[in-house]
Amino acid sequence: MESGKFEDMRRSMVDSQLRTSGVTESWVLTAMGSIAREDYVPVSHQMTAYMDRSLELENGEMLNPPVSTALLLQAADVRADDNVLLIGQANGYVAAILKTRTAHVTTTAADNLGSASANAPYTCIIIDGAAEELPDALFTLAADGARLVTGIVEGAVTRLAKGYVQNGNIALKSIADSEIAPLAAFARKPEFVF
């Protein structure tokens, strides 16, 4: 497909999906309007790369819908001097967006938090997926007062949420109902009952 057609689809995504869903942060709109999302999905999904739905990646993980990504990044309020930890993003798309805002981005899988300790503490933590519960190990990576954004699973619904890490604890506040893929590593552990 001609690159111009992808540019048209990208512009349409920004104008008809992101702006109409309350995304107003200029750096998010600019980055998502310039980074080729189609380069981060399997060839079989390139024609649907800009639709507002999750896309399955070759490794079986999911790329979240553009609106969910944009709202999550807007809520993170990323600043140029932030030390950002991005958790769960497998294909590099969200990391590419973040790198237009700050040079300090560390990425790790949700089941490999220990690999992120070398660059801690983080002033902003972005979990690119939905969690039922957050592991204690995550909070040891956060600076006091760090912003944390994530998807949360509540029954059959996923929501985007934001909170601030204080003394190793966080209280999350829901900011929007939005489709966001659950992360298996952050699933609630089954309780033992007799």
Side-chain angles (χ1 to χ4, degrees):
M1 177 181 246
E2 297 173 16
S3 64
K5 296 232 189 254
F6 282 123
E7 288 173 14
D8 290 345
M9 292 184 341
R10 200 173 309 127
R11 189 169 27 261
S12 178
M13 172 195 70
V14 169
D15 293 338
S16 64
Q17 294 176 41
L18 305 187
R19 290 184 192 278
T20 61
S21 298
V23 180
T24 57
E25 189 66 51
S26 61
W27 79 267
V28 174
L29 294 169
T30 299
M32 291 185 72
S34 63
I35 293 174
R37 185 174 160 97
E38 71 274 11
D39 291 348
Y40 294 89
V41 300
V43 173
S44 60
H45 289 316
Q46 286 185 333
M47 294 302 298
T48 58
Y50 294 97
M51 292 178 68
D52 191 30
R53 65 181 180 90
S54 296
L55 295 173
E56 187 168 354
L57 303 174
E58 291 169 340
N59 60 7
E61 293 185 15
M62 302 298 285
L63 178 63
N64 290 309
V67 169
S68 296
T69 298
L71 289 171
L72 201 65
L73 293 175
Q74 178 170 274
D77 190 26
V78 178
R79 301 164 194 144
D81 62 347
D82 270 326
N83 186 22
V84 178
L85 175 60
L86 174 63
I87 300 170
Q89 179 52 281
N91 74 342
Y93 176 67
V94 176
I97 296 168
L98 284 167
K99 287 176 182 176
T100 69
R101 185 69 169 169
T102 178
H104 312 287
V105 178
T106 300
T107 61
T108 188
D111 59 358
N112 192 19
L113 293 179
S115 69
S117 61
N119 296 326
Y122 297 95
T123 55
C124 182
I125 298 175
I126 299 169
I127 300 172
D128 189 30
E132 288 183 306
E133 66 182 13
L134 299 175
D136 291 339
L138 177 63
F139 302 113
T140 65
L141 300 172
D144 209 37
R147 299 174 310 287
L148 185 145
V149 294
T150 184
I152 53 175
V153 179
E154 294 180 344
V157 178
T158 55
R159 295 184 166 91
L160 303 181
K162 179 178 182 175
Y164 297 87
V165 178
Q166 296 290 341
N167 301 317
N169 295 303
I170 190 163
L172 292 171
K173 179 181 179 193
S174 177
I175 53 175
D177 289 358
S178 191
E179 177 188 344
I180 187 165
L183 295 172
F186 290 169
R188 184 168 286 115
K189 306 295 181 266
E191 294 180 13
F192 180 76
V193 292
F194 286 98

mmCIF file with all atom_site columns, all heavy atoms in Angstrom, residues 65-76:
data_model
loop_
_atom_site.group_PDB
_atom_site.id
_atom_site.type_symbol
_atom_site.label_atom_id
_atom_site.label_alt_id
_atom_site.label_comp_id
_atom_site.label_asym_id
_atom_site.label_entity_id
_atom_site.label_seq_id
_atom_site.pdbx_PDB_ins_code
_atom_site.Cartn_x
_atom_site.Cartn_y
_atom_site.Cartn_z
_atom_site.occupancy
_atom_site.B_iso_or_equiv
_atom_site.pdbx_formal_charge
_atom_site.auth_seq_id
_atom_site.auth_comp_id
_atom_site.auth_asym_id
_atom_site.auth_atom_id
_atom_site.pdbx_PDB_model_num
ATOM 1  N N   . PRO A 1 65 ? -6.117  -0.604 21.568 1.00 0.00 ? 65 PRO A N   1
ATOM 2  C CA  . PRO A 1 65 ? -6.698  0.345  20.623 1.00 0.00 ? 65 PRO A CA  1
ATOM 3  C C   . PRO A 1 65 ? -6.039  1.719  20.752 1.00 0.00 ? 65 PRO A C   1
ATOM 4  O O   . PRO A 1 65 ? -5.602  2.110  21.839 1.00 0.00 ? 65 PRO A O   1
ATOM 5  C CB  . PRO A 1 65 ? -8.167  0.423  21.049 1.00 0.00 ? 65 PRO A CB  1
ATOM 6  C CG  . PRO A 1 65 ? -8.426  -0.813 21.833 1.00 0.00 ? 65 PRO A CG  1
ATOM 7  C CD  . PRO A 1 65 ? -7.123  -1.149 22.491 1.00 0.00 ? 65 PRO A CD  1
ATOM 8  N N   . PRO A 1 66 ? -5.983  2.486  19.659 1.00 0.00 ? 66 PRO A N   1
ATOM 9  C CA  . PRO A 1 66 ? -5.359  3.803  19.693 1.00 0.00 ? 66 PRO A CA  1
ATOM 10 C C   . PRO A 1 66 ? -5.928  4.725  20.777 1.00 0.00 ? 66 PRO A C   1
ATOM 11 O O   . PRO A 1 66 ? -5.170  5.426  21.447 1.00 0.00 ? 66 PRO A O   1
ATOM 12 C CB  . PRO A 1 66 ? -5.625  4.364  18.293 1.00 0.00 ? 66 PRO A CB  1
ATOM 13 C CG  . PRO A 1 66 ? -5.798  3.172  17.427 1.00 0.00 ? 66 PRO A CG  1
ATOM 14 C CD  . PRO A 1 66 ? -6.430  2.129  18.303 1.00 0.00 ? 66 PRO A CD  1
ATOM 15 N N   . VAL A 1 67 ? -7.243  4.724  20.962 1.00 0.00 ? 67 VAL A N   1
ATOM 16 C CA  . VAL A 1 67 ? -7.845  5.623  21.958 1.00 0.00 ? 67 VAL A CA  1
ATOM 17 C C   . VAL A 1 67 ? -7.363  5.267  23.364 1.00 0.00 ? 67 VAL A C   1
ATOM 18 O O   . VAL A 1 67 ? -7.024  6.147  24.159 1.00 0.00 ? 67 VAL A O   1
ATOM 19 C CB  . VAL A 1 67 ? -9.386  5.618  21.870 1.00 0.00 ? 67 VAL A CB  1
ATOM 20 C CG1 . VAL A 1 67 ? -10.003 6.338  23.061 1.00 0.00 ? 67 VAL A CG1 1
ATOM 21 C CG2 . VAL A 1 67 ? -9.856  6.258  20.566 1.00 0.00 ? 67 VAL A CG2 1
ATOM 22 N N   . SER A 1 68 ? -7.311  3.972  23.683 1.00 0.00 ? 68 SER A N   1
ATOM 23 C CA  . SER A 1 68 ? -6.832  3.553  25.006 1.00 0.00 ? 68 SER A CA  1
ATOM 24 C C   . SER A 1 68 ? -5.388  3.984  25.216 1.00 0.00 ? 68 SER A C   1
ATOM 25 O O   . SER A 1 68 ? -5.028  4.500  26.276 1.00 0.00 ? 68 SER A O   1
ATOM 26 C CB  . SER A 1 68 ? -6.936  2.031  25.161 1.00 0.00 ? 68 SER A CB  1
ATOM 27 O OG  . SER A 1 68 ? -8.273  1.615  25.103 1.00 0.00 ? 68 SER A OG  1
ATOM 28 N N   . THR A 1 69 ? -4.552  3.781  24.195 1.00 0.00 ? 69 THR A N   1
ATOM 29 C CA  . THR A 1 69 ? -3.148  4.186  24.282 1.00 0.00 ? 69 THR A CA  1
ATOM 30 C C   . THR A 1 69 ? -3.032  5.685  24.512 1.00 0.00 ? 69 THR A C   1
ATOM 31 O O   . THR A 1 69 ? -2.298  6.136  25.398 1.00 0.00 ? 69 THR A O   1
ATOM 32 C CB  . THR A 1 69 ? -2.399  3.775  22.996 1.00 0.00 ? 69 THR A CB  1
ATOM 33 O OG1 . THR A 1 69 ? -2.434  2.346  22.879 1.00 0.00 ? 69 THR A OG1 1
ATOM 34 C CG2 . THR A 1 69 ? -0.963  4.259  23.012 1.00 0.00 ? 69 THR A CG2 1
ATOM 35 N N   . ALA A 1 70 ? -3.769  6.463  23.737 1.00 0.00 ? 70 ALA A N   1
ATOM 36 C CA  . ALA A 1 70 ? -3.691  7.922  23.841 1.00 0.00 ? 70 ALA A CA  1
ATOM 37 C C   . ALA A 1 70 ? -4.179  8.419  25.198 1.00 0.00 ? 70 ALA A C   1
ATOM 38 O O   . ALA A 1 70 ? -3.555  9.289  25.817 1.00 0.00 ? 70 ALA A O   1
ATOM 39 C CB  . ALA A 1 70 ? -4.497  8.570  22.721 1.00 0.00 ? 70 ALA A CB  1
ATOM 40 N N   . LEU A 1 71 ? -5.292  7.879  25.686 1.00 0.00 ? 71 LEU A N   1
ATOM 41 C CA  . LEU A 1 71 ? -5.825  8.308  26.989 1.00 0.00 ? 71 LEU A CA  1
ATOM 42 C C   . LEU A 1 71 ? -4.869  7.935  28.119 1.00 0.00 ? 71 LEU A C   1
ATOM 43 O O   . LEU A 1 71 ? -4.687  8.699  29.072 1.00 0.00 ? 71 LEU A O   1
ATOM 44 C CB  . LEU A 1 71 ? -7.213  7.715  27.228 1.00 0.00 ? 71 LEU A CB  1
ATOM 45 C CG  . LEU A 1 71 ? -8.338  8.280  26.369 1.00 0.00 ? 71 LEU A CG  1
ATOM 46 C CD1 . LEU A 1 71 ? -9.615  7.454  26.554 1.00 0.00 ? 71 LEU A CD1 1
ATOM 47 C CD2 . LEU A 1 71 ? -8.598  9.750  26.703 1.00 0.00 ? 71 LEU A CD2 1
ATOM 48 N N   . LEU A 1 72 ? -4.253  6.759  28.028 1.00 0.00 ? 72 LEU A N   1
ATOM 49 C CA  . LEU A 1 72 ? -3.301  6.317  29.042 1.00 0.00 ? 72 LEU A CA  1
ATOM 50 C C   . LEU A 1 72 ? -2.087  7.255  29.069 1.00 0.00 ? 72 LEU A C   1
ATOM 51 O O   . LEU A 1 72 ? -1.660  7.694  30.138 1.00 0.00 ? 72 LEU A O   1
ATOM 52 C CB  . LEU A 1 72 ? -2.871  4.883  28.754 1.00 0.00 ? 72 LEU A CB  1
ATOM 53 C CG  . LEU A 1 72 ? -2.296  4.066  29.896 1.00 0.00 ? 72 LEU A CG  1
ATOM 54 C CD1 . LEU A 1 72 ? -3.333  3.825  30.979 1.00 0.00 ? 72 LEU A CD1 1
ATOM 55 C CD2 . LEU A 1 72 ? -1.779  2.728  29.377 1.00 0.00 ? 72 LEU A CD2 1
ATOM 56 N N   . LEU A 1 73 ? -1.557  7.582  27.893 1.00 0.00 ? 73 LEU A N   1
ATOM 57 C CA  . LEU A 1 73 ? -0.393  8.467  27.824 1.00 0.00 ? 73 LEU A CA  1
ATOM 58 C C   . LEU A 1 73 ? -0.733  9.889  28.263 1.00 0.00 ? 73 LEU A C   1
ATOM 59 O O   . LEU A 1 73 ? 0.067   10.546 28.923 1.00 0.00 ? 73 LEU A O   1
ATOM 60 C CB  . LEU A 1 73 ? 0.188   8.463  26.411 1.00 0.00 ? 73 LEU A CB  1
ATOM 61 C CG  . LEU A 1 73 ? 0.803   7.135  25.972 1.00 0.00 ? 73 LEU A CG  1
ATOM 62 C CD1 . LEU A 1 73 ? 1.242   7.195  24.522 1.00 0.00 ? 73 LEU A CD1 1
ATOM 63 C CD2 . LEU A 1 73 ? 1.958   6.741  26.869 1.00 0.00 ? 73 LEU A CD2 1
ATOM 64 N N   . GLN A 1 74 ? -1.915  10.346 27.908 1.00 0.00 ? 74 GLN A N   1
ATOM 65 C CA  . GLN A 1 74 ? -2.337  11.679 28.348 1.00 0.00 ? 74 GLN A CA  1
ATOM 66 C C   . GLN A 1 74 ? -2.442  11.732 29.870 1.00 0.00 ? 74 GLN A C   1
ATOM 67 O O   . GLN A 1 74 ? -1.979  12.680 30.501 1.00 0.00 ? 74 GLN A O   1
ATOM 68 C CB  . GLN A 1 74 ? -3.678  12.039 27.707 1.00 0.00 ? 74 GLN A CB  1
ATOM 69 C CG  . GLN A 1 74 ? -4.216  13.392 28.139 1.00 0.00 ? 74 GLN A CG  1
ATOM 70 C CD  . GLN A 1 74 ? -5.408  13.808 27.298 1.00 0.00 ? 74 GLN A CD  1
ATOM 71 O OE1 . GLN A 1 74 ? -5.238  14.381 26.245 1.00 0.00 ? 74 GLN A OE1 1
ATOM 72 N NE2 . GLN A 1 74 ? -6.616  13.507 27.771 1.00 0.00 ? 74 GLN A NE2 1
ATOM 73 N N   . ALA A 1 75 ? -3.025  10.690 30.472 1.00 0.00 ? 75 ALA A N   1
ATOM 74 C CA  . ALA A 1 75 ? -3.168  10.642 31.931 1.00 0.00 ? 75 ALA A CA  1
ATOM 75 C C   . ALA A 1 75 ? -1.812  10.571 32.626 1.00 0.00 ? 75 ALA A C   1
ATOM 76 O O   . ALA A 1 75 ? -1.649  11.080 33.737 1.00 0.00 ? 75 ALA A O   1
ATOM 77 C CB  . ALA A 1 75 ? -4.026  9.450  32.338 1.00 0.00 ? 75 ALA A CB  1
ATOM 78 N N   . ALA A 1 76 ? -0.816  9.973  31.963 1.00 0.00 ? 76 ALA A N   1
ATOM 79 C CA  . ALA A 1 76 ? 0.514   9.836  32.564 1.00 0.00 ? 76 ALA A CA  1
ATOM 80 C C   . ALA A 1 76 ? 1.212   11.179 32.720 1.00 0.00 ? 76 ALA A C   1
ATOM 81 O O   . ALA A 1 76 ? 2.118   11.316 33.536 1.00 0.00 ? 76 ALA A O   1
ATOM 82 C CB  . ALA A 1 76 ? 1.375   8.902  31.722 1.00 0.00 ? 76 ALA A CB  1
#
